Amino acid sequence: MDERVREHAVVLVDWSAQVDPGDHVVVSVAEDAHELGVAVAEALGERGANVTTLYGSDEVGRAYLKGAEAGADGDVPDFEADPAVDLAIVETADVYLRLGGGRNTAAAADVDRETRQAYARANKGVREARMDTDWVSTVHPTRSLAQQAGMAYEEYRDFVYDAVLRDWEALAAEMAEMKAVLDDGDEVRIVTEREDDPDTDLRMSIAGRTAVNSAASVAYDSHNLPSGEVFTAPYDTEGEVFFDVPMTIESTRVRNVRLVFEDGEVVDFSAEAGEDALAGVLDTDPGARRLGELGIGMNRGIDRFTDSILFDEKMGDTVHLAVGRAYDACLPEGEPGNDSAVHVDMISDVRANSTMTVDGEVVQRDGTFRWEDGFEG
């Protein structure tokens, strides 16, 4: 086993999930994440945790959904709401670790959109219970992910471990600057003006919201490894935004997305590729047409796009927005925020001809923050 696999497991268990002796930990292991699953189980055993292992397979999930379609005989499958076994597992867990890394990144591409939506709605309670745990998602470098990223397998492994095995405390201190700006702010405006792409001019309120310093640890209300972003929950969104970073949504390649917001809601949209997949997301429920997240990428250890949201949204010189569910950590106590069965991120590259202002003051220009060398005010 590559020693970096064990280092990855230690960072996940100790820094990210902060596992204590006696914790009940559910570990969902994807098809080709076996080595990381072994290393994580070993680390959990050494720390005196209790472990339940699940098989998290996109191919198995696809088979179930296609079978449900066949059994429904042309109708949308009627899924049981929040199956009791699934709900009991996550409700009794202290920690939930998802180890991604499947065999086929488009395994469920032929599942009907309405089936996906029905399944997502039926499992909303399970999803919410899982998010009440100290949950963390990470990924094991696999050949399918390397292929999706357009990289050799060995090259991709180096890329993943460069992003994961970082000085997270030092990065957390740097990102605290951005958190302070957002916590004190009322309105964010993002503007891009490019010759070959549609312009972005988007305003959103962040008043009363709390930004999360996403430093790859539940101690920071951060649930991804790698991480390296600061995010909050915007509302009252107005204007239009263009996302130029390709992404995969519902196993479909989506490229060059444009969204138009009025009164906080998407009223028009387009995509150069994958528009049907985008429409499927936006039609999931009313909350899917509102923003749940504004995120600012700050992990400069991630230096290229890989068509994986886990990495791409954390990359320095990017801003991302998610339609759908808002995270509770960003909301005032007792305020529900935007509610949806989906949370889908879309990314803009802001390295050129772009500004982000908070309450009229430029915080980032052309990808450089005002506290970094090279910032032009």
Side-chain angles (χ1 to χ4, degrees), residues 189-369:
R189 184 184 183 191
I190 300 170
V191 176
T192 64
E193 296 175 333
R194 301 176 183 136
E195 292 184 4
D196 299 330
D197 291 327
D199 292 339
T200 288
D201 192 348
L202 194 72
R203 297 175 183 268
M204 62 204 91
S205 178
I206 57 169
R209 300 295 165 89
T210 300
V212 171
N213 178 347
S214 187
S217 173
V218 295
Y220 289 87
D221 284 318
S222 176
H223 299 276
N224 290 157
L225 177 66
S227 196
E229 63 169 312
V230 177
F231 65 87
T232 191
Y235 58 100
D236 289 346
T237 311
E238 295 285 343
E240 59 185 85
V241 57
F242 180 71
F243 302 100
D244 56 345
V245 177
M247 68 211 79
T248 297
I249 299 176
E250 294 185 345
S251 300
T252 302
R253 187 71 162 171
V254 179
R255 186 172 63 252
N256 291 344
V257 170
R258 177 176 171 269
L259 301 180
V260 179
F261 288 85
E262 292 180 4
D263 295 326
E265 183 174 338
V266 175
V267 295
D268 191 21
F269 65 91
S270 63
E272 184 178 306
E275 189 169 295
D276 285 348
L278 176 63
V281 169
L282 296 175
D283 290 342
T284 300
D285 50 41
R289 286 182 173 261
R290 296 181 177 272
L291 286 185
E293 179 189 1
L294 159 67
I296 298 125
M298 299 185 68
N299 187 339
R300 299 200 183 279
I302 301 172
D303 60 0
R304 61 186 293 178
F305 296 113
T306 62
D307 194 21
S308 168
I309 196 66
L310 181 65
F311 294 93
D312 293 355
E313 70 173 2
K314 315 301 191 312
M315 181 175 168
D317 303 330
T318 65
V319 170
H320 61 275
L321 299 168
V323 292
R325 186 186 188 278
Y327 293 122
D328 291 343
C330 300
L331 305 171
E333 187 174 353
E335 183 174 325
N338 192 46
D339 186 32
S340 176
V342 297
H343 179 98
V344 175
D345 298 276
M346 289 168 274
I347 307 169
S348 289
D349 185 339
V350 296
R351 285 178 286 192
N353 304 313
S354 300
T355 59
M356 180 175 64
T357 60
V358 178
D359 297 339
E361 183 176 355
V362 178
V363 177
Q364 184 186 53
R365 186 187 301 279
D366 298 341
T368 303
F369 296 101

Side-chain angles (χ1 to χ4, degrees), residues 22-311:
D23 278 350
H24 294 275
V25 183
V26 174
V27 185
S28 176
V29 185
E31 295 106 321
D32 284 1
H34 175 76
E35 277 195 330
L36 181 57
V38 169
V40 167
E42 182 180 33
L44 291 170
E46 290 174 351
R47 284 146 189 79
N50 303 298
V51 179
T52 299
T53 306
L54 305 178
Y55 182 57
S57 167
D58 290 338
E59 292 184 357
V60 170
R62 179 257 178 200
Y64 172 68
L65 295 178
K66 293 299 290 184
E69 287 178 351
D73 195 23
D75 295 329
V76 177
D78 184 17
F79 296 103
E80 179 182 351
D82 300 321
V85 171
D86 293 345
L87 193 60
I89 289 173
V90 291
E91 283 185 336
T92 55
D94 299 302
V95 178
Y96 189 101
L97 303 179
R98 181 185 179 276
L99 314 184
R103 298 174 181 174
N104 180 0
T105 60
D110 61 345
V111 177
D112 185 78
R113 179 197 308 164
E114 292 184 343
T115 300
R116 297 175 190 269
Q117 293 172 343
Y119 188 70
R121 289 191 294 266
N123 284 273
K124 185 178 177 182
V126 174
R127 190 166 48 253
E128 295 291 339
R130 184 171 65 245
M131 296 184 76
D132 285 339
T133 69
D134 285 336
W135 64 274
V136 183
S137 290
T138 192
V139 67
H140 182 64
T142 65
R143 285 172 169 80
S144 64
L145 292 175
Q147 186 175 32
Q148 184 178 18
M151 301 168 72
Y153 174 54
E154 293 77 10
E155 179 187 19
Y156 183 70
R157 283 192 305 177
D158 292 342
F159 166 82
V160 169
Y161 294 125
D162 284 347
V164 167
L165 304 179
R166 297 207 48 169
D167 183 344
W168 288 108
E169 291 190 42
L171 184 56
E174 178 184 343
M175 294 192 299
E177 298 238 23
M178 190 72 243
K179 171 178 165 57
V181 169
L182 295 179
D183 284 346
D184 292 340
D186 291 329
E187 183 185 78
V188 176
R189 184 184 183 191
I190 300 170
V191 176
T192 64
E193 296 175 333
R194 301 176 183 136
E195 292 184 4
D196 299 330
D197 291 327
D199 292 339
T200 288
D201 192 348
L202 194 72
R203 297 175 183 268
M204 62 204 91
S205 178
I206 57 169
R209 300 295 165 89
T210 300
V212 171
N213 178 347
S214 187
S217 173
V218 295
Y220 289 87
D221 284 318
S222 176
H223 299 276
N224 290 157
L225 177 66
S227 196
E229 63 169 312
V230 177
F231 65 87
T232 191
Y235 58 100
D236 289 346
T237 311
E238 295 285 343
E240 59 185 85
V241 57
F242 180 71
F243 302 100
D244 56 345
V245 177
M247 68 211 79
T248 297
I249 299 176
E250 294 185 345
S251 300
T252 302
R253 187 71 162 171
V254 179
R255 186 172 63 252
N256 291 344
V257 170
R258 177 176 171 269
L259 301 180
V260 179
F261 288 85
E262 292 180 4
D263 295 326
E265 183 174 338
V266 175
V267 295
D268 191 21
F269 65 91
S270 63
E272 184 178 306
E275 189 169 295
D276 285 348
L278 176 63
V281 169
L282 296 175
D283 290 342
T284 300
D285 50 41
R289 286 182 173 261
R290 296 181 177 272
L291 286 185
E293 179 189 1
L294 159 67
I296 298 125
M298 299 185 68
N299 187 339
R300 299 200 183 279
I302 301 172
D303 60 0
R304 61 186 293 178
F305 296 113
T306 62
D307 194 21
S308 168
I309 196 66
L310 181 65
F311 294 93

